[in-house]
Amino acid sequence: MKFAILDGKIIERREAKVDVEDRGYQFGDGVYEVIRVYNGKMFTVTEHLNRLVKSLDSIGIKLPYTMDQLNDLLEELIEKNKLQLGTIYMQISRGVAPRNHAFPTENVRPSLVAYTKEVSRPLESLKMGVKTIVTDDIRWLRCDIKSLNLLGNLLAKQKAAEAGCFEAIQHRSGDVTEGSSSNIYMIKNGKVITHQSDNLILKGITKDVILQVCERNNIVVEERTFTLDELIDAEEVFLSSTTAEVMPIIEVDGKRVGDALPGPVTKLLQEWFELEIEKRCGALNDKILF
Ligand code: PDD
């Protein structure tokens, strides 16, 4: 039997249902987080919960739980579901109210939903790299909020899927922003270059860990806007996300990156990222074989 969190209680997963007038369901009026679990432990949970609160603040939803309460609930859920390797999906919407675009005026309790999923590490892709396409970034101008509204991201990812690719790299008038569900990086002269964390991208938690690891190991990072031309011309390209970790990109829109194999800087970052996982969550059974 699997369990889920619904409004602060752990209940049977199949009993976890939301009202048709939940504003998350009708308007995408809410935010979410995806947290990685290795060895039954949440990776970078504090960072995820801090970002959740930041997203909630941006849209004026007050979290009806303390960070400690949320953390305890999520830990209990992992234990009840006996999750070792996977993810937690958690979303908070503004709550249930008669349909109206404007926020409800009476006190409506935000709805919290969370459940777990078993997800292995994508070891084969991490070792071999993945292919990508590029597409216009048609999303709104608050991509820093981890909003439930993901249509722009979905349309981009679907294009990638139809082209047999792992990810769609989005750009605004030739300036690379981010992937449909990941951050994008290129390596130039041994430097790691990635879009600055502003309103046009989501500030990835994986990105934060990568930048810390770079700093500790004296790898120079430039957070700046870069163009598609620079990307195509880069020595190495990779993406990052909670589920994809540090994922080498070997092809962009049919053009090979370098010699279409994961590059040396990317591989170093993968190795350091694995060490970071082990430091926080304990030894991994399955690792990328370098
Ligand atoms: N996506 N940018 C976008 C648009 C994303 O959706 C994600 C993550 C990231 C990377 O963020 P992080 O390193 O914190 O996972 C960047 C999650 C995993 C998802 O929607 O499933």
Side-chain angles (χ1 to χ4, degrees):
M1 192 194 297
K2 290 293 174 200
F3 296 89
I5 298 172
L6 186 73
D7 296 331
K9 288 184 208 71
I10 298 194
I11 59 168
E12 246 191 85
R13 162 81 196 264
R14 56 185 177 160
E15 302 293 330
K17 305 236 165 63
V18 294
D19 195 282
V20 290
E21 283 198 310
D22 189 290
R23 292 180 62 93
Y25 177 63
Q26 289 196 333
F27 297 113
D29 185 6
V31 299
Y32 76 103
E33 280 295 327
V34 180
I35 305 172
R36 212 16 165 147
V37 173
Y38 301 102
N39 296 324
K41 294 195 183 73
M42 288 182 279
F43 181 66
T44 55
V45 60
T46 311
E47 292 84 341
H48 279 283
L49 293 182
N50 284 336
R51 185 172 67 185
L52 179 75
V53 171
K54 221 170 135 237
S55 293
L56 287 165
D57 282 348
S58 313
I59 61 169
I61 295 180
K62 240 181 96 55
L63 191 65
Y65 310 93
T66 65
M67 300 278 252
D68 283 346
Q69 277 172 333
L70 260 191
N71 186 73
D72 291 351
L73 263 176
L74 295 177
E75 277 181 1
E76 199 182 328
L77 182 68
I78 291 172
E79 208 173 296
K80 284 201 100 157
N81 283 346
K82 300 186 177 54
L83 182 70
Q84 280 298 306
L85 183 61
T87 55
I88 297 184
Y89 176 83
M90 168 173 47
Q91 75 166 54
I92 295 180
S93 82
R94 200 175 301 278
V96 178
R99 187 175 185 278
N100 181 357
H101 285 56
F103 298 169
T105 46
E106 71 280 18
N107 254 349
V108 167
R109 187 180 165 80
S111 324
L112 162 69
V113 170
Y115 62 92
T116 63
K117 187 166 136 192
E118 283 176 28
V119 185
S120 52
R121 299 181 67 210
L123 290 171
E124 191 59 27
S125 300
L126 287 170
K127 194 169 165 50
M128 303 306 294
V130 294
K131 296 178 178 176
T132 60
I133 56 153
V134 300
T135 187
D136 266 332
D137 192 338
I138 60 165
R139 300 171 304 160
W140 69 331
L141 297 174
R142 289 304 306 275
C143 298
D144 54 317
I145 302 171
K146 205 161 168 56
S147 154
L148 296 178
N149 285 277
L150 287 175
L151 267 180
N153 307 60
L154 306 190
L155 291 174
K157 184 72 99 190
Q158 181 58 22
K159 266 196 192 167
E162 283 169 13
C165 289
F166 181 82
E167 180 60 302
I169 299 175
Q170 302 173 103
H171 68 92
R172 292 190 192 260
S173 308
D175 289 340
V176 174
T177 51
E178 63 178 342
S180 70
S181 62
S182 61
N183 292 117
I184 301 290
Y185 310 73
M186 64 172 186
I187 313 286
K188 277 250 153 102
N189 303 318
K191 285 187 209 162
V192 175
I193 300 162
T194 189
H195 197 283
Q196 64 278 6
S197 294
D198 57 16
N199 62 311
L200 297 184
I201 68 161
L202 181 76
K203 190 174 189 287
I205 303 298
T206 321
K207 176 184 173 184
D208 268 352
V209 175
I210 291 168
L211 297 200
Q212 284 163 23
V213 160
C214 284
E215 196 178 339
R216 249 183 277 136
N217 291 283
N218 299 316
I219 302 257
V220 179
V221 177
E222 276 179 23
E223 284 191 270
R224 64 163 172 89
T225 310
F226 57 95
T227 63
L228 276 177
D229 289 342
E230 286 180 274
L231 183 80
I232 305 283
D233 211 36
E235 290 147 26
E236 301 174 37
V237 178
F238 68 92
L239 61 81
S240 77
S241 81
T242 293
T243 45
E245 302 180 4
V246 178
M247 180 65 79
I249 292 176
I250 54 166
E251 201 180 287
V252 177
D253 244 2
K255 296 178 201 76
R256 291 156 66 132
V257 178
D259 38 14
L261 287 169
V265 179
T266 309
K267 280 162 97 170
L268 261 182
L269 291 174
Q270 287 184 310
E271 218 172 311
W272 291 331
F273 192 79
E274 270 191 342
L275 285 173
E276 205 55 40
I277 297 171
E278 295 197 307
K279 204 164 84 187
R280 296 168 192 238
C281 300
L284 291 164
N285 293 326
D286 289 320
K287 307 222 299 193
I288 312 168
L289 296 169
F290 294 101

